[in-house]
């Protein structure tokens, strides 16, 4: 890269959902803020349980679903950056069991460091994913910013009966994860030029796959709760579900799907700073096997960008639902554990 075309990742101190504030910091910021649901009864889902999007009841049947998500680049190709950021933002709508209807762009760029064509490619990447999802980018807002930032505010709709919160998992539920984990580890390796072409292609394929299966899962009564797995890692978002649903989650580490090189790269030390911040924030509520290697903790706390859906469903229907998810294009989806009565925590076996 020359001076007029620097690596996008060189302009940012972090990348992807690894940019998120640590869970403990976010919790402190939100403590003592008034609960909006108590004042606005039509707000069916707010910030109370760290769910994926806000949900507002228009009437007895129809809801509006709203979210926003943006971050700094985790890859250098501007179009890929735009595609990943858009896929990640739209995922929040699908994770609630809804369908997106339009988006607004959020853009912050160091205009003295990036050529206009580069910025245009970022926007084109985001627009291509929105087109794939069948929605327009209807507007947005842009600023001059020291680091490149891109994302979307997304509006969706859904039937009230199809909304799937992270708070409605039930004891005995089977847990399914729809995408493999290891995105943060791949990103760390990429920044140090240690990710090969096959690994990069796998990274892009995973992070640009729309989680549209969530809208279908929301129509199934056997599906009780859904959340998407992003910057807090599988353990962090699993713990949010456990706390919101007031139960314990048990994970089978051997069943968790991984990107093909994730385990080897983690063992070589390609771990993000966000992974350690995640563990410091919630590790006290997680029980790992006594003989667990350090790489296991790194994988389970790895910040995912545009990760998969964590689905809690009736155990008798798990096989049918898993087959449906696989047929929808999520070949790596697996049953990874179950929920049970107990204090809100995660036990890894």
């Amino acid at each position: 890269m020359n001076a007029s075309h620097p690596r996008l990742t060189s302009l940012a101190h972090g990348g992807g959902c690894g940019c998120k504030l640590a869970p403990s910091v976010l919790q402190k910021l939100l403590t003592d803020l008034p609960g909006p649901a108590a004042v606005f009864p039509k707000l069916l889902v707010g910030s109370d349980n760290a769910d994926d999007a806000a949900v507002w009841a228009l009437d007895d049947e129809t809801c509006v679903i709203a979210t926003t998500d943006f971050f700094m680049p985790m890859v250098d190709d501007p179009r890929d950056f735009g595609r990943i950021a858009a896929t990640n933002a739209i995922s929040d709508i699908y994770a609630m069991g809804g369908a997106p209807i339009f988006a607004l762009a959020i853009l912050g760029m160091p205009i003295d460091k990036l050529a206009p064509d580069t910025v245009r490619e970022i926007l084109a990447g985001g627009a291509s994913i929105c087109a794939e999802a069948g929605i327009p980018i209807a507007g947005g807002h842009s600023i001059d910013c020291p680091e490149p930032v891109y994302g979307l505010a997304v509006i969706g709709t859904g039937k009230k009966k199809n909304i799937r919160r992270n708070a409605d998992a039930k004891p005995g539920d089977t847990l399914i994860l729809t995408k493999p984990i290891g995105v943060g580890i791949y990103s760390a390796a990429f920044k140090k030029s240690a990710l090969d072409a096959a690994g990069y292609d796998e990274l892009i394929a995973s992070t640009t796959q729309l989680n549209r299966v969530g809208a279908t899962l929301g129509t199934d009564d056997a599906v009780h709760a859904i959340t998407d797995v992003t910057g807090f890692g599988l353990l962090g978002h699993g713990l949010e579900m456990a706390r919101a649903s007031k139960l314990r989650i048990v994970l089978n580490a051997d069943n968790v799907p991984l990107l093909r090189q994730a385990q080897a790269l983690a063992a070589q030390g390609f771990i993000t700073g966000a992974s350690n911040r995640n563990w410091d924030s919630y590790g006290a509520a997680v029980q790992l096997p006594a003989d667990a290697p350090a790489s296991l903790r790194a994988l389970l706390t790895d910040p995912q960008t545009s990760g998969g859906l964590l689905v809690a469903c009736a155990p008798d229907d798990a096989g049918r639902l898993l087959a449906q998810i696989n047929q929808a294009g999520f070949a790596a989806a697996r049953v990874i554990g179950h929920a049970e009565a107990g204090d809100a925590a995660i036990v890894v076996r």
Side-chain angles (χ1 to χ4, degrees), residues 40-163:
F40 300 97
K42 287 194 173 185
L43 183 63
L44 303 183
V45 180
S47 58
D48 303 40
N49 290 319
D51 221 323
D52 297 297
V55 180
W56 183 273
L58 288 177
D59 52 39
D60 291 340
E61 293 186 0
T62 307
C63 299
V64 171
I65 309 168
T67 186
T68 182
D69 215 316
F70 52 89
F71 46 62
M72 291 168 282
M74 55 184 286
V75 295
D76 292 321
D77 184 283
R79 184 173 285 261
D80 285 345
F81 171 37
R83 293 171 66 214
I84 293 168
T87 308
N88 179 73
I90 297 170
S91 178
D92 287 341
I93 304 296
Y94 293 132
M96 301 305 300
I101 56 174
F102 71 90
L104 303 172
I106 300 165
L107 182 72
M109 289 290 143
I111 58 175
D112 60 331
K113 298 176 183 175
L114 288 178
D117 286 348
T118 299
V119 180
R120 193 176 296 113
E121 280 293 291
I122 294 170
L123 295 173
S128 71
I129 289 294
C130 287
E132 186 178 335
I135 64 172
I137 296 181
H141 187 64
S142 59
I143 62 170
D144 185 4
C145 187
E147 296 180 280
V149 174
Y150 177 68
L152 301 175
V154 189
I155 306 300
T157 60
K159 292 184 178 180
K160 188 174 180 180
K161 66 180 182 179
N162 294 343
I163 297 299

Side-chain angles (χ1 to χ4, degrees), residues 258-282:
L258 304 175
L259 294 175
R260 286 190 287 271
Q261 301 179 39
Q263 195 156 32
L265 289 170
Q268 294 171 42
F270 293 104
I271 299 167
T272 69
S275 178
N276 293 322
R277 292 195 298 274
N278 283 342
W279 181 257
D280 290 343
S281 294
Y282 54 65

Side-chain angles (χ1 to χ4, degrees), residues 87-88 91 176-183 203-212 229 234 256-259 304-310 325 329-334 336:
T87 308
N88 179 73
S91 178
I176 298 171
L177 182 63
T178 65
K179 285 186 184 182
I181 64 173
V183 170
L203 171 68
I204 299 304
S206 180
T207 54
T208 60
Q209 182 180 21
L210 287 162
N211 280 326
R212 66 173 89 226
V229 178
L234 177 58
V256 175
L258 304 175
L259 294 175
Q304 303 307 288
T305 300
S306 192
L309 301 177
L310 180 63
I325 292 167
F330 297 84
R334 299 286 184 275
I336 64 167

